[in-house]
Amino acid sequence: MNQYPSFSLFFTIFSIFFLRSSTTTTLPPQLIALLSLKSSLKDPLNTFHDWDPTPAFSKPGFQPIWCTWSGIKCDRKTAQITSLDLKDRNLSGTIPVEFRYLLSLTHLNLSGNAFDGPLQAIIFELPYLRALDINHNNFSSTFPPGISKIKHLTFLNAYSNSFTGPLPEEVIHLRFLEYINLGGSYFNGTIPASFGSFPRLKYLNLAGNILTGQIPAELGLLTELERLEIGYNEFNGGVPVEFAKLSNLKYLDISGANLSGNLTPELGNLTRLESLLLFKNRFSGTIPHSFTQLEAVRYLDLSNNDLSGTIPEEFSWFKELTQLSLMNNELTGEIPEGLGELPNLELLLLWNNSLTGVLPQKLGSNANLQKVDVSSNSLTGPIPPNLCHGNKLGKLILFTNNFVGELPSSLVNCTALTRFRIQSNKLNGSIPYGFGLLPNLTFMDLSKNNFSGAIPKDFFNAGKLEYLNISENSFNTELPDNIWSAPNLQIFSASLSKLVGKIPNFIGCRSLYKIELDGNTLSGGIPWDIDHCEKLIYLNLRHNSLTGIIPWEISTLPSITDVDLSHNFLTGTIPSNFDNCSTLENFNVSFNQLTGPIPSSGTIFPNLHPSSFVGNEGLCGGILRKPCSTGGLAAGAVEVRQQPKKTAGAIVWIMAAAFGIGLFVLIAGSRCFRANYSRRFSDDREIGPWKLTAFQRLNFTAEDVVDCLSMTDKIIGMGATGTVYKAEMPGGEIIAVKKLWGKHKETVRRRRGVLAEVEVLGNVRHRNIVRLLGCCSNSECTMLLYEYMPNGSLDDLLHCRNKGENLVADWLTRYKIALGVAQGICYLHHDCDPVIVHRDLKPSNILLDGEMEARVADFGVAKLIQSDESMSVIAGSYGYIAPEYAYTLQVD
Ligand SMILES: *[C@@H]1O[C@H](CO)[C@@H](O)[C@H](O)[C@H]1NC(C)=O
Ligand SMILES: *[C@@H]1O[C@H](CO)[C@@H](O)[C@H](O)[C@H]1NC(C)=O
Ligand SMILES: *[C@@H]1O[C@H](CO)[C@@H](O)[C@H](O)[C@H]1NC(C)=O
Ligand SMILES: *[C@@H]1O[C@H](CO)[C@@H](O)[C@H](O)[C@H]1NC(C)=O
Ligand SMILES: *[C@@H]1O[C@H](CO)[C@@H](O)[C@H](O)[C@H]1NC(C)=O
Ligand SMILES: *[C@@H]1O[C@H](CO)[C@@H](O)[C@H](O)[C@H]1NC(C)=O
Ligand SMILES: *[C@@H]1O[C@H](CO)[C@@H](O)[C@H](O)[C@H]1NC(C)=O
Ligand SMILES: *[C@@H]1O[C@H](CO)[C@@H](O)[C@H](O)[C@H]1NC(C)=O
Ligand SMILES: *[C@@H]1O[C@H](CO)[C@@H](O)[C@H](O)[C@H]1NC(C)=O
């Protein structure tokens, strides 16, 4: 006994030594098979490390050493390998021919690996195989012939691969098959009628392919079938009546399969059916009365069809019913009262129908209800009192109905509640105390009701509350003074809510990024401690009765983008800090009682529309036409008026500059900026000669460019970093010129570095990126020259603002644009050197060339990822940046 292992060891080493050099070897064939497998397959995770024929010690015993290797099972008596389980190892590569030496294999599991290319027919040489599992790989091309050689196969799982071509009809010769899953590939053509002739099949899955044609009636012959999943294909017609004979069927899923016509009434004969999933088809007509025989059903989902008529009363008899989903149909009538008494009901989804009447008042009494969504119907009556009886109700969605009455007080004890949306109803009474104590409540929308009375103080202790909307109610009260201290509240909206009193101090304001208090009668001042709201992006206080001055602290908020203080009684001057606040995009202080000159030394205000400032008797200068009595500031006024509106109608040209706006903003002197408005460039001798840096052959000079910019009617857009002109060169070519502006004169010396970075941009060449042709500069001004994109921006296209031409955003065009953008961004992210991150991708930055091909523009907020500047200043437009970035300023 002692001798055996070491002899075996010697034998193995000896054999392996000769394995490669000599073909004559007495190595056991099974070992050869395994070792060739190990050496042929790519094993990036080194999962074969224990497949080692030369261990110092192996357990003494009768089983060969390889029977102890991972994934291998041997027969105890014969020592033959019966099971090879190589799942989830990320293997790829070629299965060697020696594999067929594993003659006794009954069980082969290759699932969850990275195999690709055609399935190797060598697998079919294993005559005793019973279970073959190759799911979750990437085998492609057509299914190879030969599988009928595995005569005893009972289990075949090829789910989630990339097979193409027709379904392998050969499988029907496998008479012992009980389980076949060919779902999740690209099989096309029809389901062969012969698939109805498996004698023992219990499970058939062909879902998620691109199968077409009619579902063959012959499938109705599979009387042993318990589970049938053939959805997510593109069939014609409906469910064959022959399916009524599938008397053992428990699970039927033909969702998302383009089925049409009436629901097959014969399905009502499937009395063992536990799941019937036919959602997302085009079924019309009513729910057949025969369906009321489906008494075993637990999951019934007929949603997203065109079903009409009523919900059968008899569904109330389905004692097992756990989930009922009929949303997005055209159902009418009342919800059967009895549904409220179903003992097992957990999920009730009936939204977007035309249901009337009351919601069954006993709903929830079963203590199992978890989610109710009956939104967008015409339901009336009160909210049932016991919806959360078992304290499992997580989502209660009732919006856009005609519910009346008060909120059931029991809801405040519903600790499972996470989403509560009851907006657009006719609910009244006050909001009961206690919602703020619900530990998991994250989203609460009570807007557009008739709620009145005090707003409970506890709201603002709600630990997880992120969204609270109480707009358009009639509270007639003050805001609670601890309103801002909900630790995770991000959006607070209380517009048009008849709020009175003062805005509470902002102490404790931590996570809020959107505050809407417009359309109330709030009075007093804007608390100066608003700088506690460090994440604030959007502040809307318009149409109130606020007095006092505008706190400059608002301008110090690192992400503030949109501020609307219009239609109040604010006094004093506009703090000049706002003009330098680089994140600001909208700032509206119209119709107040502000006085003094509009700051104009910064970069923000000159780009705003004058309507942001109108209605203030005492304001002057800046972009208003009214000169200040002190003079000097009105210089640019007349010309500015001639500019087209900032965005509408014009091609919005916001252009590239591959590093943070900041750097560019710093380039040009304030004088250069003024020149933009009050002088012609050609006259501006003091600022030195223009120098043209070309990134490709250009047929014009810097002077040609400058000459073109003397007319304001050439302005096609304005962005945060400068003005964009359309310029026709002497040779007839049209280019777009972006003139950058800035204000810190002393930073002009940085220009050399800036120009070096522009040069990086000049080297960006891709058909989906707007090409930078060159750069014009003198000692104080920088202009970037780009290709001109005649078809405007995607933003214009989507909002039908394209100049003149009849461009349409059909789906093919949209697809093409989306693809182009993806390719452009992919290039910037992966192929550029250094890599460039855009950081402000939005429709107005996607320009369209003559062929309607997308070109990505405006790297104004992009930056070279290799520079080590911090990203703590928010870049991008509210609404288009990743929310978590806007919110945390963490780049991940
Ligand atoms: C799996 O292998 C592929 C290459 O075959 C490799 O790209 C991938 O990173 C691997 N995955 C893991 C988790 O190792
Ligand atoms: C193969 O492995 C997968 C992944 O663990 C498992 O789900 C599947 O049941 C296995 N197949 C067989 C036939 O045992
Ligand atoms: C799978 O294979 C197809 C073609 O054979 C290939 O296009 C695709 O990228 C592959 N998918 C993965 C995830 O490797
Ligand atoms: C199935 O797809 C292949 C390409 O993968 C195509 O050549 C063939 O015509 C398609 N067959 C049917 C019936 O659509
Ligand atoms: C979807 O079904 C309709 C009606 O049966 C048919 O006209 C249409 O061709 C089908 N669509 C596809 C993609 O097969
Ligand atoms: C459905 O069942 C009824 C009686 O239970 C029977 O008369 C009818 O023939 C069945 N329909 C089909 C299509 O099998
Ligand atoms: C609601 O149903 C109508 C048609 O009945 C459909 O046009 C609309 O898209 C649906 N709404 C949603 C949100 O799915
Ligand atoms: C909520 O629960 C508390 C304590 O469990 C109880 O005192 C109170 O009556 C409950 N409120 C309602 C409306 O059920
Ligand atoms: C709150 O949510 C957590 C995580 O989802 C869950 O584990 C916990 O049970 C919930 N609390 C209640 C009272 O439902």
Side-chain angles (χ1 to χ4, degrees), residues 846-858:
I846 294 162
L847 306 182
L848 303 171
D849 70 12
E851 258 76 58
M852 298 296 281
E853 181 86 51
R855 305 281 195 103
V856 176
D858 193 12

Side-chain angles (χ1 to χ4, degrees), residues 829-851:
H829 285 190
H830 298 289
D831 298 331
C832 274
D833 185 20
V835 163
I836 294 171
V837 182
H838 192 293
R839 297 177 79 195
D840 195 15
L841 193 62
K842 56 182 175 180
S844 58
N845 285 339
I846 294 162
L847 306 182
L848 303 171
D849 70 12
E851 258 76 58

Side-chain angles (χ1 to χ4, degrees), residues 85-88 107-112 130-135 155-157:
D85 187 345
L86 301 178
K87 63 177 183 248
D88 301 331
H107 185 110
L108 176 60
N109 196 342
L110 299 177
S111 71
R130 287 172 197 278
L132 173 59
D133 195 339
I134 54 169
N135 82 72
F155 179 101
L156 172 62
N157 189 351

Side-chain angles (χ1 to χ4, degrees), residues 116 138 140 162:
D116 54 11
N138 195 23
S140 54
S162 298

